[in-house]
Amino acid sequence: MPSDAPARTIRVTPRYLERDGRPWFPVTGEVHYSRIPRERWSEVLGHARAGGLDSVATYVFWQAHEPAPGDFRWDGDLDLRAFVETAGRHGLDVVVRLGPWAHGEARYGGFPDWLVERGLRTRTNDPEYLRLVRAFYAQTIAQLSGLAHAEGGPVVGAQLDNELYDQPDHLATLRDLAEELGLRVPVWTATGWGGAQVPPTLLPVYSAYADGFWEDSDTEWPAFSPVHFRYSTVRDDLGVGADLREALDGITLDDGAGPGAADDDHPYVTCELGGGMHVAYHRRPLVTPDDVAALALAKIGSGSVWQGYYMYAGGTQRVGPHGTEQESHATGYPNDVPTRTYDFGAPVGEHGQVRRHHHLLRRQHLWLRADGAALAAMTTTVGGGSDDPAELRWSVRSDGRRGYVFVTTYQPARSPLPPQPGVRVAVELDDATVAVPTRPVDLPAGVSVAWPVRYPLGEGLVLRSATAQVLTRIDVGPDGRGAGRDLVVLVATEGVPVELVVEGDGEVSAAGPVASRGDDGATVLDLVGGPGPDTVISVRGPSGGVDVLVLDEATADRLYRLDVGGRERLVLSDTPVHAHDGALVVHTEHPTVTVSVLPAPESLAVAEGTDAEGAAVAPGADGTLWRSWTLSVPAAGRRRVATDLRPHAPAPPEPACGGPMGRLSAPTDWSGAVRVRLDVPADALAGVDRALLRVAWTGDVGRAVVHRAADTVVVGDHFWHGRDWDLDLTPWRDDVARDGLTLELLPWRAATGVWVDPSVRDVPDGIAVAAADVVRVARVVLTPGA
């Protein structure tokens, strides 16, 4: 649990949030406890914290907790209190999305069937509806007793309902009701997109997605998407949730309506920056890690003061008393989504897979942790806001004394931007104009940068500008309490020469791989040679000095800042890691892993009780700064169980359409499916923390079934969209070892009209299984020596 005194404060100002009297730049990721096995919560939350998040948000799905009237359940995977406590132990705050209606691609938006069947005027101040909401809220708030921020706990905020556009009085009533029942949190929010009418007692929060499954199958690229890859002070997006507004609420915004302008009364807060994208049967986007990272940085450059991701960790749709609990045509919704998987292509996948955008986003989050307080208080100036691809897209965030220059040449592959030659931005500060960089630089296509302006290095030194981005800064002295030297870590952008412009209170000198020159009273340091883990520049002035480490992007993607052995350290790892109780927890599918630490502990040892058979650690090759260890994990790796299968697939039936918008419906008749039995040896499943089945295939829809006793259980499903299909076999090890696993597959037929990304669209009709591998993921705990 956080140890701050209960007197600590969080306050919402018109421009940013404050925490303990200082500007605060939160970073939040959506994690649904009820869709993740309880035994995996700590791992997922550990990855979230290691990814630079300081908080998580979570839906409380009414249908999961009250499946029958008055029958409330808070046990097992539904133990909200235990989830919040676990988040607190990982140093994470929590925003509870209370509902009553949630959406989240849940059946009836999370409403229980029995509530829907009563025909009440839900999501209004109807007295009977509010009576039922009161009972649900009372139960939920009881679970949070003692866990609110004012009580020393991690719960800092609550969201009321979701995507409710025209009932501001009801939203205000929900807050009144929650407070009457005892919930005391400093931040109360409601979603503000779609032109929502949010009452003054709630903070409007916004969204931005690179693509949307909710668009029609003939939409090649949603109109809202390109807007989110350029800088803009516009916060709203009328495209998100437009299908539900029209189909369920009967709200259609005028064609000429556009997103609302900047809001001077509230800070720019996001809660749903797309961490990936779900798929529907009719439309199956393929959002890339680079898309996610570029969109997130564009929002910081547009003035966001709270980065909130949906989803940060995927999960699995629940099975309730009425079957699977996903939204569908059968329940009156516009889209058929998968019945089980809710992977969302998130930074952390449905089964704990850590993906590339976890690393790309962590770079941004480490920067926000290091300098977010200053950035939050900076105002935003936007340039190049048109849709002309040839125009330079830039923005500046500044407080008049210092700031950041944002420039982008990134847009998704369907409409890429060209490179920008001769980039140089004049930054107007209170006392001077700073040209960044000192000499124009060519910016390659497909990059986004945030360059510092007058960044304080300490010891009387100021980084007037740089063509490398701030990553973090850390005391690497012997005790980590300022007794040693400060290390500022920057990351270079591939294809952009690194220039550091340093000002001091006297003569400035530098040692390291740089060439020096003068510019308007400053010292310009041009990096000679490439950036990397040992590229250190020692900068000195009359009052002292600081070391600057300039990393390449590949190394930056491996960098973590973790509390290991009682102090914060930088960790370079080839595989996902997080910290827990002072130890370093490694998750690997590779038999050999290199871990480097700065400042280094005396030793690293494999903890007793590690379940990775044969795991061992030994000193590795040390660098100039880092001390390295080589971890041997023979239990990790892959085992192929099938390859190059091309089963004959009978022609599927003619596609059906359904739902209120007449979209393509997912098949429900599996009688004609091709059945591929996979025999998996028991030893391929044993001896590791997690055994995943990774299927590289093409087709239309697939599901995986296992046999347990007399039952046939669907353990996962997949709407093919170009990404491999992962299944967690760990809970079914004995069943799969005994009886195998069966993939039931339906064939792809382009003429059906399902939309998939152009990059994967050119596949033949039918079914092809290129490979099926058991991915053996080992978990190793490394304890540091003194």
Side-chain angles (χ1 to χ4, degrees):
M1 284 294 185
S3 58
D4 297 354
R8 59 198 180 152
T9 60
I10 293 175
R11 189 171 73 92
V12 180
T13 79
R15 288 180 46 210
Y16 50 82
L17 284 86
E18 283 186 353
R19 189 164 195 158
D20 300 330
R22 298 182 68 238
W24 175 39
F25 201 129
V27 181
T28 305
E30 190 88 10
V31 180
H32 294 161
Y33 63 96
S34 61
R35 288 170 164 170
I36 299 172
R38 181 177 182 145
E39 60 270 18
R40 294 288 180 197
W41 288 349
S42 183
E43 173 191 332
V44 170
L45 293 169
H47 285 312
R49 185 61 175 151
L53 273 62
D54 63 8
S55 46
V56 293
T58 194
Y59 275 134
V60 183
F61 289 112
W62 191 349
Q63 64 191 193
H65 293 289
E66 193 181 7
D71 178 20
F72 288 98
R73 299 180 182 179
W74 301 96
D75 59 331
D77 300 345
L78 300 177
D79 193 337
L80 171 62
R81 183 177 189 84
F83 176 80
V84 171
E85 290 173 335
T86 304
R89 286 194 292 272
H90 281 281
L92 293 163
D93 292 324
V94 179
V95 176
V96 181
R97 302 179 85 176
L98 291 170
W101 191 85
H103 195 200
E105 289 66 68
R107 178 183 175 94
Y108 295 126
F111 277 164
D113 279 56
W114 59 264
L115 173 66
V116 175
E117 290 164 359
R118 294 189 183 190
L120 302 175
R121 290 183 297 119
T122 58
R123 308 180 75 190
T124 72
N125 285 339
D126 175 82
E128 179 59 16
Y129 173 65
L130 287 179
R131 183 183 69 82
L132 298 171
V133 170
R134 173 182 287 273
F136 172 53
Y137 268 21
Q139 283 274 330
T140 303
I141 292 167
Q143 298 299 313
L144 302 175
S145 177
L147 299 179
H149 178 73
E151 301 168 297
V155 180
V156 297
Q159 180 186 303
L160 302 169
D161 209 271
N162 191 53
E163 300 175 332
L164 185 58
Y165 305 100
D166 60 350
Q167 296 291 326
D169 290 344
H170 177 57
L171 290 172
T173 297
L174 291 177
R175 173 174 175 173
D176 292 343
L177 181 58
E179 289 188 301
E180 180 185 328
L181 292 167
L183 185 60
R184 297 287 185 271
V185 293
V187 182
W188 295 87
T189 74
T191 48
W193 57 82
Q197 301 171 42
V198 177
T201 55
L202 301 179
L203 173 65
V205 291
Y206 294 95
S207 65
Y209 288 94
D211 207 330
F213 70 84
W214 54 82
E215 291 285 316
D216 288 331
S217 57
D218 59 0
T219 300
E220 192 59 41
W221 197 29
F224 62 75
S225 180
V227 175
H228 296 310
F229 290 93
R230 53 181 183 258
Y231 309 112
S232 171
T233 55
V234 170
R235 304 177 183 184
D236 198 358
D237 181 345
L238 303 186
V240 177
D243 57 338
L244 290 185
R245 282 199 302 273
E246 180 179 345
L248 302 186
D249 302 324
I251 299 173
T252 304
L253 299 176
D254 294 338
D255 290 341
D263 179 355
D264 293 333
D265 296 325
H266 302 98
Y268 182 14
V269 172
T270 69
C271 71
E272 289 197 15
L273 301 179
M277 179 47 59
H278 201 32
V279 296
Y281 181 74
H282 73 283
R283 195 170 196 281
R284 310 176 190 180
L286 185 61
V287 170
T288 71
D290 290 311
D291 294 343
V292 172
L295 184 150
L297 190 58
K299 292 305 163 185
I300 299 175
S302 297
S304 167
V305 296
W306 186 337
Q307 296 288 90
Y309 300 96
Y310 190 99
M311 297 287 298
Y312 192 80
T316 305
Q317 294 277 16
R318 293 179 45 78
V319 178
H322 300 276
T324 52
E325 292 187 340
Q326 84 288 355
E327 76 170 55
S328 66
H329 291 169
T331 55
Y333 278 65
N335 311 300
D336 265 349
V337 299
T339 63
R340 299 307 314 277
T341 183
Y342 197 64
D343 179 86
F344 216 86
V348 179
E350 177 182 10
H351 308 303
Q353 316 96 302
V354 174
R355 298 184 171 123
R356 183 168 169 262
H357 36 323
H358 172 77
H359 308 303
L360 296 177
L361 292 174
R362 185 175 63 249
R363 286 161 49 177
Q364 298 179 23
H365 302 160
L366 289 176
W367 164 48
L368 294 178
R369 180 178 173 187
D371 206 29
L375 187 67
M378 294 177 182
T379 59
T380 305
T381 303
V382 172
S386 77
D387 57 3
D388 180 1
E391 184 179 24
L392 179 66
R393 299 180 176 184
W394 63 271
S395 77
V396 170
R397 290 187 70 164
S398 168
D399 61 8
R401 299 178 300 277
R402 52 174 295 226
Y404 287 92
V405 175
F406 296 81
V407 186
T408 184
T409 59
Y410 189 91
Q411 203 161 259
R414 273 168 285 168
S415 184
L417 297 178
Q420 284 285 348
V423 172
R424 197 178 192 212
V425 178
V427 180
E428 301 285 346
L429 300 176
D430 289 346
D431 61 348
T433 298
V434 178
V436 184
T438 61
R439 297 170 177 171
V441 65
D442 295 341
L443 202 62
V447 301
S448 296
V449 299
W451 291 334
V453 180
R454 282 191 178 167
Y455 179 80
L457 293 173
E459 304 295 340
L461 297 168
V462 173
L463 187 62
R464 190 178 78 186
S465 67
T467 55
Q469 300 178 74
V470 176
L471 190 55
T472 189
R473 66 188 301 159
I474 189 170
D475 179 0
V476 293
D479 64 1
R481 297 181 179 87
R485 68 187 193 279
D486 218 18
L487 181 69
V488 175
V489 186
L490 308 179
V491 56
T493 300
E494 187 174 352
V496 178
V498 174
E499 171 195 274
L500 310 181
V501 184
V502 183
E503 297 174 332
D505 51 8
E507 184 177 351
V508 174
S509 63
V514 292
S516 297
R517 56 185 169 90
D519 182 85
D520 193 22
T523 300
V524 182
L525 307 175
D526 295 307
L527 188 65
V528 178
D534 292 316
T535 303
V536 180
I537 305 164
S538 295
V539 184
R540 295 291 179 266
S543 301
V546 64
D547 289 345
V548 179
L549 171 63
V550 185
L551 298 179
D552 60 286
E553 293 190 275
T555 302
D557 288 348
R558 298 169 50 230
L559 183 77
Y560 294 78
R561 179 173 178 159
L562 302 173
D563 187 342
V564 178
R567 66 168 293 176
E568 290 203 329
R569 308 176 194 265
L570 301 181
V571 177
L572 289 174
S573 175
D574 297 334
T575 196
V577 296
H578 70 268
H580 188 61
D581 291 339
L584 193 62
V585 183
V586 180
H587 297 266
T588 181
E589 59 186 72
H590 305 292
T592 303
V593 176
T594 298
V595 175
S596 305
V597 185
L598 174 70
E602 287 299 315
S603 63
L604 285 178
V606 176
E608 292 184 11
T610 291
D611 57 4
E613 192 174 302
V617 64
D622 295 338
T624 304
L625 288 175
W626 307 84
R627 187 172 182 187
S628 298
W629 286 265
T630 299
L631 178 61
S632 176
V633 193
R638 296 194 181 196
R639 185 85 63 87
R640 181 145 294 179
V641 294
T643 186
D644 197 23
L645 303 177
R646 299 182 181 273
H648 172 70
E654 288 298 314
C657 294
M661 302 186 78
R663 290 172 171 169
L664 288 168
S665 298
T668 56
D669 180 3
W670 292 87
S671 61
V674 169
R675 287 167 173 78
V676 176
R677 176 188 166 91
L678 299 178
D679 292 315
V680 183
D683 65 351
L685 304 171
V688 287
D689 180 63
R690 185 165 64 251
L692 303 180
L693 181 69
R694 181 159 296 157
V695 184
W697 78 299
T698 59
D700 183 25
V701 176
R703 66 181 190 179
V705 301
V706 300
H707 301 284
R708 174 166 286 181
D711 296 326
T712 298
V713 183
V714 177
V715 298
D717 62 344
H718 194 249
F719 291 178
W720 175 78
H721 57 291
R723 187 178 285 119
D724 288 349
W725 177 13
D726 282 358
L727 295 153
D728 189 0
L729 302 183
T730 313
W732 312 94
R733 278 174 167 150
D734 294 342
D735 310 281
V736 172
R738 183 185 63 248
D739 299 320
L741 174 139
T742 300
L743 302 179
E744 298 182 346
L745 309 174
L746 295 173
W748 176 256
R749 186 172 67 175
T752 299
V754 168
W755 189 94
V756 293
D757 192 87
S759 65
V760 299
R761 194 173 291 168
D762 188 20
V763 298
D765 287 358
I767 297 169
V769 179
D773 295 322
V774 175
V775 180
R776 295 169 51 80
V777 182
R779 177 181 183 272
V780 181
V781 179
L782 299 177
T783 55

